[in-house]
Amino acid sequence: SSGINAEWPLRPGIFGKAFTKGFISMIDDDTGVILKTLYSLMKEHTGQAGKSRKVVKYLIRILIKVGVLLKNNAFSEAEMRLFTRFKTKYRTTALTFISFYEVK
């Protein structure tokens, strides 16, 4: 489930309990898997769990900020087209990394 995949980077020292519960309910399964795999991949290649956790934490912050902007319709039509293109490229790249990581 998405809650299980999303809980691992959300330690009580990083975010509050209320935020953690709210975020876990918002995240979808794909994003949880992507974040978890990214963390594992970075940790394996750098050997630094702390640094890997920090990068994932920053990605989560960006996802939250973009999510709030989307929810409040803060993007113009041109920005939405650009965001949609970015989202497609991001998803393709992330899934490619996961595929290579799983094959290895």
Side-chain angles (χ1 to χ4, degrees), residues 47-58:
Q48 298 178 353
K51 192 175 266 191
S52 301
R53 231 183 336 273
K54 188 181 276 190
V55 169
V56 171
K57 182 175 94 173
Y58 290 137

Side-chain angles (χ1 to χ4, degrees), residues 4 8 10 14 18-19 25-26 29 32-33 35 39 44 48 51-52 54 71 80 84 93 97 100 102:
I4 293 170
W8 63 269
L10 301 175
I14 298 174
F19 170 80
S25 68
M26 291 177 3
D29 288 335
V33 170
L35 290 172
Y39 170 77
E44 181 180 311
Q48 298 178 353
K51 192 175 266 191
S52 301
K54 188 181 276 190
K71 185 176 179 180
M80 278 303 296
T84 303
T93 303
F97 282 134
F100 282 122
E102 289 175 350

Side-chain angles (χ1 to χ4, degrees), residues 35-82:
L35 290 172
K36 189 171 187 174
T37 306
L38 177 64
Y39 170 77
S40 299
L41 187 69
M42 289 177 55
K43 182 179 167 189
E44 181 180 311
H45 287 287
T46 64
Q48 298 178 353
K51 192 175 266 191
S52 301
R53 231 183 336 273
K54 188 181 276 190
V55 169
V56 171
K57 182 175 94 173
Y58 290 137
L59 284 174
I60 290 170
R61 286 180 178 176
I62 291 168
L63 290 172
I64 291 168
K65 289 175 183 179
V66 170
V68 168
L69 291 172
L70 285 171
K71 185 176 179 180
N72 293 323
N73 296 320
F75 292 123
S76 67
E77 283 186 41
E79 290 170 332
M80 278 303 296
R81 283 192 301 272
L82 183 63

Side-chain angles (χ1 to χ4, degrees), residues 5-37:
N5 285 332
E7 285 180 21
W8 63 269
L10 301 175
R11 303 273 194 289
I14 298 174
F15 300 106
K17 287 183 181 181
F19 170 80
T20 300
K21 287 181 181 180
F23 180 73
I24 289 171
S25 68
M26 291 177 3
I27 195 169
D28 62 344
D29 288 335
D30 291 339
T31 305
V33 170
I34 289 170
L35 290 172
K36 189 171 187 174
T37 306

